Amino acid sequence: MRPDKRNGTRDVIVDNALRLFAERGYDAVRVQDLARAAGVSRATFYNHFSERDEVLGVLFERLLVSEEAGSETAQDTPPLQRVGAVLNGAVRRMLQQPELARFVYTLPVRHESLLRPDVSSTPAVFVTIHRLLEAAAARGELRDDVPIDLVCAHVHNALETGMRAWADGRTDDPEGRVGMLVDLALYGILAPAGTRPPDPRPGHG
């Protein structure tokens, strides 16, 4: 099969998979349903995907691997301040595909687990966030006792939690919700120094 035809068949399968998953729910759709909706045989389906979950992974990649992240703020802005802007840019791009975004973020799974380990195009937003947090650590903006990978996971959780709240109908402002959660992840819940009462703990007042 020619590469262009192979990619075309793959896209038809994925496009129809999204429609079926959105209509019936992921658990109710079988491989034979996906093949039938795409107008191909089960054998052809398995020529492109080893299992149904792999189709789900491609849908998630479509949602996040769309364009380069990181252009939302000026390059001379401190890296920690750019994290929130990068994530909000990712939210705005995802909302350009609302059916796909709502479906993905109503699934009861951790979405990073859907990414194939061999995928060459790791979502740009994840790469950018990791780079910005490394730069912030190098500038002394982060605690030096917390591994960067753990900070990244904390920020990714903020993105996922905010998008889930929107997909579940608990907020109609996903960008605002993600922004608040990222602020909590990076800066905590304490009021700014000078505006809060003295710490009541011995030796902290």
Side-chain angles (χ1 to χ4, degrees):
M1 182 181 295
R2 298 194 309 274
D4 55 344
K5 185 174 181 181
R6 178 178 176 82
N7 290 337
T9 301
R10 184 181 177 88
D11 286 342
V12 169
I13 293 171
V14 173
D15 290 342
N16 281 279
L18 173 59
R19 178 178 58 79
L20 286 184
F21 291 154
E23 289 175 356
R24 305 182 190 177
Y26 179 69
D27 290 338
V29 178
R30 301 164 297 176
V31 166
Q32 65 191 54
D33 298 322
L34 296 176
R36 185 182 302 114
V40 300
S41 65
R42 283 173 59 96
T44 298
F45 176 92
Y46 285 118
N47 283 338
H48 296 272
F49 300 99
S50 60
E51 57 184 351
R52 184 184 58 163
D53 287 355
E54 192 175 328
V55 179
L56 194 57
V58 172
L59 285 170
F60 183 55
E61 290 163 22
R62 274 191 180 185
L63 188 62
L64 284 180
V65 186
S66 55
E67 61 182 89
E68 184 63 31
S71 60
E72 288 79 6
T73 57
Q75 296 298 307
D76 58 354
T77 302
L80 205 56
Q81 292 181 27
R82 293 176 59 200
V83 170
V86 167
L87 284 175
N88 280 335
V91 171
R92 288 192 294 271
R93 290 191 295 274
M94 286 192 283
L95 293 179
Q96 294 172 4
Q97 306 177 77
E99 182 184 31
L100 175 56
R102 196 175 296 277
F103 164 69
V104 164
Y105 283 103
T106 53
L107 289 170
V109 295
R110 284 284 309 149
H111 296 102
E112 287 177 62
S113 69
L114 299 177
L115 293 171
R116 290 169 289 146
D118 63 334
V119 67
S120 59
S121 52
T122 298
V125 62
F126 293 167
V127 174
T128 301
I129 292 302
H130 196 281
R131 176 173 52 79
L132 289 174
L133 290 173
E134 285 184 324
R139 288 165 54 102
E141 296 179 355
L142 301 180
R143 288 171 47 176
D144 58 11
D145 61 332
V146 180
I148 291 294
D149 286 346
L150 183 57
V151 181
C152 285
H154 207 38
V155 172
H156 294 172
N157 284 341
L159 173 63
E160 177 144 335
T161 301
M163 290 302 295
R164 279 191 186 279
W166 165 77
D168 292 341
R170 288 179 283 121
T171 180
D172 58 2
D173 179 18
E175 189 174 340
R177 180 64 64 93
V178 168
M180 178 184 294
L181 291 169
V182 171
D183 281 347
L184 289 174
L186 295 178
Y187 303 109
I189 62 172
L190 294 180
T195 66
R196 60 179 184 258
D199 192 325
R201 293 173 297 171
H204 292 81

